[in-house]
Amino acid sequence: MGAGVLNQLSFKRESVWGTPVVPDKSLGIHFGDGIQTDNDTQLLQAVKNQLAKNYHAHIGARTHEGDYEMDFLTDYPGYFILGSLGSVISALKAGETIVYEHTITESENKPSFTIEQVVGENVRRYAGCIFSAFKVSGKAGEVIMLNAPVKAKSQATATKITPAYTTVRPFNYVDAVVKIGGTTINEVENFELEYTNNLEFLHTVAGINDPSFSYIKGSEVTGKIEMYLDNATLAYLNDYLAKNERSIDIVLTGDAIGIAANNKIEISVPRAVFTSGETKLSEDYNLLTIEFTGIYDTVTTKLISVKITNLLANYN
């Protein structure tokens, strides 16, 4: 029996979906369920002159699904965002020698990963992992969080690797800036932004219980911003009432790196509409809650994009 605090998670990007590779990157995550396998066990019944209800069982459409929650760092969590969105272009940042900018955008083809999940003596490698979504959230006084749901094609036992972790600190609320229509909102108390690609795995009559194909449906961006109500933020309630569209940006700026750069993550939704606006009667401070949904922007040809600045040369 091992101590739960000694569990670990490691991963590596695959070249071919479902072809496992040996993980070489490790990431600290929060305690949770992780990936779990559901055999979809099918129990068969028939009229057979017997008292017992079930006479046979077989494995059905087996799935390997779960999610990971973690403190949001500027380096390795970028793989999970890339896994959800699809494409990345990496380049040396102008004026720098060791600092890179990675622009992540949507594409139909999603990169896959082998994830090694170590729970005591149960060491499993899940191959063909594709991230179906990501959610970034922050609250005054707390660390910025990233949640990433994932689906895997298959699983197998393995010998665990020796983990190696980076030392980059996670972003916290002091590092965060929320912008609406390009204007920084100083009254924000908490926020969340979620992207989903509506990934589905498909089982076929192919001699295996695991999924055979993957595909995506229409992608979506949704979110919520809670802010103190004053003369400035009242404008966003009026935007909701008038159905005015605004851009939404979340900017996280960390420690200095390189010559004149910082660890940084910029999430941009160029076009969004407010879907609700509430100011409830309360004896506490007056709060404005705005919910929004992203709309495809024909000018930038994007629903969402993410730019990451760090010391990684690429996300291969």
Side-chain angles (χ1 to χ4, degrees):
M1 182 182 72
V5 293
L6 298 180
N7 296 336
Q8 63 190 56
L9 183 91
S10 305
F11 67 94
K12 185 175 183 178
R13 186 172 173 176
E14 298 172 347
S15 298
V16 178
W17 178 54
T19 300
V21 293
V22 178
D24 60 359
K25 300 173 183 66
S26 299
L27 185 62
I29 60 170
H30 292 180
F31 297 109
D33 293 338
I35 297 177
Q36 300 296 326
T37 296
D38 180 359
N39 270 344
D40 187 36
T41 303
Q42 302 293 305
L43 297 170
L44 307 185
Q45 300 93 33
V47 178
K48 295 186 63 176
N49 188 32
Q50 65 183 33
L51 292 175
K53 179 179 180 180
N54 302 311
Y55 77 91
H56 185 68
H58 69 264
I59 295 174
R62 182 164 54 202
T63 58
H64 318 277
E65 300 179 2
D67 68 275
Y68 296 111
E69 183 181 77
M70 66 206 75
D71 301 335
F72 202 3
L73 312 175
T74 190
D75 50 13
Y76 288 168
Y79 280 97
F80 295 6
I81 293 176
L82 169 61
S84 182
L85 288 174
S87 295
V88 62
I89 296 176
S90 301
L92 194 67
K93 182 176 173 61
E96 298 288 339
T97 58
I98 58 171
V99 177
Y100 290 81
E101 289 182 336
H102 314 274
T103 302
I104 304 175
T105 54
E106 286 191 288
S107 65
E108 179 182 2
N109 295 323
K110 310 297 183 183
S112 63
F113 301 83
T114 297
I115 294 179
E116 181 181 285
Q117 187 172 279
V118 178
V119 182
E121 292 75 18
N122 184 22
V123 181
R124 298 279 163 180
R125 284 189 187 158
Y126 296 91
C129 293
I130 301 178
F131 291 93
S132 58
F134 69 84
K135 182 169 75 172
V136 177
S137 59
K139 185 175 182 180
E142 299 182 3
V143 70
I144 307 300
M145 306 276 289
L146 176 68
N147 180 273
V150 63
K151 300 176 185 282
K153 187 179 189 299
S154 64
Q155 62 81 31
T157 59
T159 300
K160 68 179 180 181
I161 69 165
T162 300
Y165 300 93
T166 63
T167 57
V168 178
R169 73 164 177 86
F171 295 108
N172 64 63
Y173 76 106
V174 175
D175 304 314
V177 169
V178 177
K179 297 181 180 180
I180 299 178
T183 300
T184 297
I185 311 305
N186 295 317
E187 295 88 347
V188 173
E189 199 276 332
N190 67 80
F191 66 86
E192 61 182 44
L193 182 149
E194 183 171 10
Y195 167 85
T196 178
N197 57 34
N198 285 304
L199 171 74
E200 296 287 349
F201 278 5
L202 180 65
H203 291 78
T204 60
V205 181
I208 59 173
N209 299 106
D210 292 323
S212 298
F213 299 97
S214 68
Y215 65 96
I216 55 172
K217 299 179 182 178
S219 57
E220 301 172 90
V221 170
T222 57
K224 181 174 72 173
I225 305 171
E226 292 190 332
M227 62 194 90
Y228 302 116
L229 178 65
D230 59 17
N231 287 331
T233 59
L234 180 61
Y236 304 119
L237 177 61
N238 292 330
D239 281 337
Y240 162 66
L241 295 172
K243 203 194 74 64
N244 294 330
E245 297 175 358
R246 294 286 183 261
S247 61
I248 305 292
D249 297 279
I250 296 175
V251 182
L252 307 174
T253 305
D255 295 336
I257 53 175
I259 299 171
N262 292 80
N263 284 315
K264 195 172 188 178
I265 295 180
E266 301 165 83
I267 304 173
S268 299
V269 179
R271 183 184 176 200
V273 62
F274 298 138
T275 55
S276 73
E278 295 182 345
T279 54
K280 296 182 179 180
L281 294 171
S282 171
E283 66 176 355
D284 206 345
Y285 61 87
N286 293 321
L287 185 70
L288 170 62
T289 301
I290 293 289
E291 294 184 351
F292 63 87
T293 295
I295 302 174
Y296 179 76
D297 182 45
T298 56
V299 176
T300 62
T301 66
K302 293 179 176 63
L303 173 66
I304 185 174
S305 64
V306 179
K307 184 165 74 173
I308 303 178
T309 304
N310 59 28
L311 297 176
L312 297 181
N314 57 64
Y315 275 96
N316 296 340

